[in-house]
Amino acid sequence: MGYYVTVEPGVNLYVEDINPAGSKTIVFLHGWPLSHDQFEYQYDVLPGMGYRCIGIDWRGFGKSDRPYDGYNLERLADDIRAVVDTLQLKDFVLAGHSTGGAIAIKYIVRYNGGGVSQLVLIDAAAPRGFTKETAADLLKQTLNDRANMMLGVTNIFFFRYITKPFSDWFNQMGMQAAGWSTAAIIVMLRDFDLNADLSRIQVPTLIVHGIHDKVIPFSQAEEMHRKITHSRLVPFMYSGHGSFYDERDKFNQLMQEFVGTAPQ
């Protein structure tokens, strides 16, 4: 089921809550410039294993409200906290893809764990995001031809072949976002540095990263693995930036193994 959670006056986030009766909860944070829908092929499978899966659209993206401001890691982490508090979540798994991984890291550090029992970083944009050159190029495209920018992102996102209908669906997901929020996150990805945060993560952490990732290089996953004490790095040999789809069967099985088997 889907509903809205107020995170500050006038700003409501869309939440998709699948199998609320599940015995273990996994909260998914999507990547830029997508929405919770990117995890469709996890929602199709993991609830059937007994998990409660919660997808959150950040402010400015998907079905959430689109304010003009608030696009920094601290505010985005605060938004997640508001959802966690409203739903009274405890002992949950936090899984973040790309920029969602950066938000997940900031959330855990900012809230001293924040009720998270395990962390999953999926092709995470950490400890850094875009280079200044990449950010400048994406920002220029976003402000002049956002649809073409999104097509370019899709073209380098996956390692394995995707069909034209899938590509169209993926592009439309990115186009749901506001132009201003899309641009603001590019600037955020250009400017943040999470190196000081990594050593403060104390929960068991699974790092999943495609070795062919053209958006966030695999070397950053290796760097995270060195700096996060209780971490395990699993290279995905046939994946790009979209390991959750490129090798979805392997990914879903790995999630089950890491999170633990939920009673049926």
Side-chain angles (χ1 to χ4, degrees), residues 11-245:
V11 180
N12 302 292
L13 298 194
Y14 181 77
V15 176
E16 191 75 36
D17 195 344
I18 307 161
N19 191 27
S23 60
K24 293 190 177 184
T25 299
I26 307 172
V27 175
F28 289 92
L29 302 180
H30 63 84
W32 170 91
L34 305 169
S35 75
H36 78 279
D37 284 330
Q38 77 169 78
F39 294 111
E40 175 174 334
Y41 298 92
Q42 282 64 61
Y43 303 147
D44 288 349
V45 174
L46 296 177
M49 297 178 178
Y51 301 111
R52 178 187 186 185
C53 293
I54 296 174
I56 304 172
D57 287 348
W58 325 333
R59 64 171 61 209
F61 294 82
K63 298 178 183 177
S64 290
D65 287 345
R66 310 194 297 177
Y68 193 71
D69 55 9
Y71 300 101
N72 57 77
L73 282 179
E74 291 75 16
R75 178 64 253 184
L76 294 170
D78 291 347
D79 287 350
I80 303 306
R81 181 64 176 187
V83 175
V84 168
D85 286 347
T86 298
L87 302 186
Q88 300 181 328
L89 300 180
K90 297 178 181 178
D91 192 30
F92 64 94
V93 180
L94 186 59
H97 171 256
S98 194
T99 309
I103 297 169
I105 290 169
K106 182 59 68 176
Y107 171 84
I108 285 179
V109 172
R110 191 167 173 81
Y111 289 102
N112 193 30
V116 175
S117 60
Q118 293 162 285
L119 174 65
V120 183
L121 298 174
I122 311 156
D123 304 296
R128 294 164 300 279
F130 295 145
T131 65
K132 294 188 184 306
E133 293 76 19
T134 296
D137 182 56
L138 287 172
L139 191 59
K140 181 179 180 180
Q141 292 184 60
T142 297
L143 297 176
N144 290 280
D145 189 344
R146 186 162 64 99
N148 191 56
M149 181 279 295
M150 187 62 214
L151 180 60
V153 168
T154 302
N155 287 341
I156 66 168
F157 205 95
F158 301 99
F159 177 67
R160 296 198 175 194
Y161 170 76
I162 59 172
T163 64
K164 177 64 163 54
F166 184 94
S167 175
D168 292 343
W169 169 75
F170 198 77
N171 288 340
Q172 280 303 116
M173 196 189 317
M175 293 304 292
Q176 277 188 292
W180 57 86
S181 57
T182 302
I185 295 295
I186 293 172
V187 174
M188 184 190 84
L189 284 162
R190 180 194 67 192
D191 293 342
F192 73 65
D193 188 325
L194 290 172
N195 270 294
D197 295 83
L198 298 182
S199 61
R200 297 175 62 188
I201 297 173
Q202 297 301 313
V203 299
T205 302
L206 174 65
I207 301 170
V208 173
H209 213 103
I211 67 168
H212 303 284
D213 194 331
K214 295 180 180 179
V215 180
I216 302 295
F218 182 76
S219 59
Q220 292 198 190
E222 295 175 310
E223 186 176 355
M224 284 190 291
H225 180 44
R226 290 193 297 269
K227 294 179 179 179
I228 299 175
T229 305
H230 308 286
S231 66
R232 173 191 175 196
L233 172 59
V234 179
F236 271 41
M237 308 303 290
Y238 304 101
S239 290
H241 194 54
S243 57
F244 60 93
Y245 183 76

